[in-house]
Amino acid sequence: MSFSLIPPHIFRRLSLPQISHSIAYSSHNVRKIPFIFQRHATNSTSTTTTNKAPIYKFRNFIVGTASIISAIFFIEYYFDSRAAIHKYLFMPLLRNITTPESSHKFAIWVFKWGLNAKDRLPDDEQLSVEVWGKKVSNPICLAAGFDKHGEAIDGLFDVGFGYVEVGSITPEPQPGNSKPRMFRLPKDKAVINRYGFNSDGHKQVELRLRDRVRRYLFHSAKLHPNITAALLASSPDEVSLSDALGINRSLREDKLLGINLGKNKWRSAEDVQDFVKGIKTFGGYADVLVVNISSPNTPGLRGLQRKEIFEKLLKEVTKARNSLHEPRPALLVKIAPDLSDNELEDIADTALNSGVDGIIVSNTTISRPDTLQSVASLISETGGLSGPPVKPLALKALRKIYQHTNGKLLLVGCGGISNAKDAIEYAKAGATLVQLYTSFGYDGVGKPRELKDDILRELKDKKWSDIIGEQ
């Protein structure tokens, strides 16, 4: 500020403190001074601002550009299922801030709306396998129980599974057991659940599946308008159009969709009509139908594994499946790991004679192995135990059935598969496909790709199909 604001004769008489006070006073009251006296100060400030303006603009440009580039890179990183952030940040965070069931529901919401990371790499030909006359790009599958209501099928295929199984689905809606009904055993990387076949029911799930086919057809019409229009005109049944288009009912090339069928709690223990209804309702939507007689959370359900009742069940369900139009879905039955050798042999013999296409070995266990390390209050919870502690039981049952049938029955291994060595161990024991559930819940969206890459390293120059049944 110029001292010209203070008359010279007064300036000579002022001491240094008085001069400072006068300058400060003048600065605070500069707007009250006539414009002619402000001109010098204003010009000085304007010059400084003008000189700094390009610097501010350049700085803002750099910050803005860097922010946009960082956001793009983060989005690219997030949507790649190989990104370590999913396994080592997001999954531990979810486990620490949510209950198991809340975390489960949130995951389904993410997959439903396509907000999940995706497996962007093609599957290596070494991993492909043929099942029921169809090629599957890789043997890593998702077990039933994750997407119970068929809400997130496409999001789950996007993370790299070769086969996705939804359900279990009961004919009528039912809420399942009271909450809490799912418990983490973190020291064992295991889970205990007693959901109890909570289901939206056949009608609601069928509507979702039909809408999914319609969305696919809408997309296909844009790509192949003439073909799709001709098919729509010739067939009133939208469900069968996927067959007419020459694609799997998964609507994905070299991938399969399985639908797991359950029964309502209030049915009598030996009633099999709920499964028959499920086959008739979902036969046109599924590449694979699974009859679930092994959930420990539905009273009397496991009693269907007894030989006489099992024979009746398989007779009825194979008859219902065989009444469907071609191509008919494969029909599997899912059993428990808690069966004796004699019971396993009876199931294997009955399955071979009935015409079913395979067995899933196995569901959760009601036993509590001595190897569990989690706190006693968690271990004592009622429900089915899944995760690594189930592996010895499921693997033993799988070997027994494979050996007893001499490999004549296609087997799907499920139970405690956490890494490539586990998957290969199941394959050598006789499993053509392997299913994940608990390890996917613990490790997140990158699990299928991680397993596929690690299996390829273990296989070396062999194919997956070469090691099936090596024992």
Side-chain angles (χ1 to χ4, degrees), residues 9 37 40 51 80 135 174 218 269 292 353 388 414 424:
H9 66 282
F37 295 107
H40 180 71
N51 292 336
D80 188 335
K135 179 184 175 182
Q174 62 180 33
F218 177 76
N292 187 352
N353 296 330
C414 181
I424 288 173

Side-chain angles (χ1 to χ4, degrees), residues 179-199:
K179 301 177 184 180
R181 53 191 178 182
M182 189 177 189
F183 309 89
R184 299 187 188 103
L185 279 64
K187 290 185 178 179
D188 303 288
K189 293 201 79 172
V191 166
I192 292 173
N193 91 80
R194 52 170 180 263
Y195 272 115
F197 279 177
N198 55 311
S199 175

Side-chain angles (χ1 to χ4, degrees), residues 440-456:
F440 182 57
Y442 269 94
D443 293 341
V445 291
K447 197 64 183 180
R449 173 46 58 188
E450 176 191 317
L451 281 179
K452 289 185 285 187
D453 289 345
D454 291 346
I455 288 170
L456 285 171

Side-chain angles (χ1 to χ4, degrees), residues 108-267:
I108 291 297
W109 181 85
V110 169
F111 284 112
K112 177 180 179 179
W113 296 106
L115 300 175
N116 54 286
K118 293 160 178 68
D119 182 6
R120 296 173 175 175
L121 299 179
D123 290 334
D124 195 287
E125 192 61 30
Q126 283 179 264
L127 296 174
S128 67
V129 62
E130 186 171 313
V131 292
W132 313 299
K134 296 181 178 181
K135 179 184 175 182
V136 180
S137 65
N138 77 82
I140 308 302
C141 312
L142 179 65
F146 188 83
D147 184 6
K148 290 177 172 290
H149 314 303
E151 299 174 90
I153 295 169
D154 290 303
L156 291 166
F157 274 124
D158 285 341
V159 298
F161 288 112
Y163 162 82
V164 169
E165 188 175 317
V166 301
S168 293
I169 306 167
T170 58
E172 301 298 327
Q174 62 180 33
N177 294 322
S178 59
K179 301 177 184 180
R181 53 191 178 182
M182 189 177 189
F183 309 89
R184 299 187 188 103
L185 279 64
K187 290 185 178 179
D188 303 288
K189 293 201 79 172
V191 166
I192 292 173
N193 91 80
R194 52 170 180 263
Y195 272 115
F197 279 177
N198 55 311
S199 175
D200 286 349
H202 284 181
K203 185 176 180 180
Q204 186 63 45
V205 177
E206 186 189 8
L207 286 173
R208 289 194 188 109
L209 294 172
R210 183 175 288 274
D211 284 345
R212 181 172 178 261
V213 174
R214 287 173 177 167
R215 289 194 301 272
Y216 179 86
L217 289 173
F218 177 76
H219 178 68
S220 180
K222 291 193 291 184
L223 297 177
H224 311 288
N226 296 331
I227 296 174
T228 307
L231 287 170
L232 284 167
S234 64
S235 175
D237 183 7
E238 291 177 342
V239 177
S240 65
L241 286 176
S242 61
D243 301 329
L245 286 167
I247 58 174
N248 293 332
R249 288 167 181 168
S250 66
L251 309 181
R252 298 293 183 105
E253 185 178 2
D254 296 336
K255 295 180 185 291
L256 302 180
L257 174 63
I259 299 179
N260 188 294
L261 307 173
K263 62 183 292 186
N264 287 117
K265 276 189 174 184
W266 52 83
R267 306 296 186 202

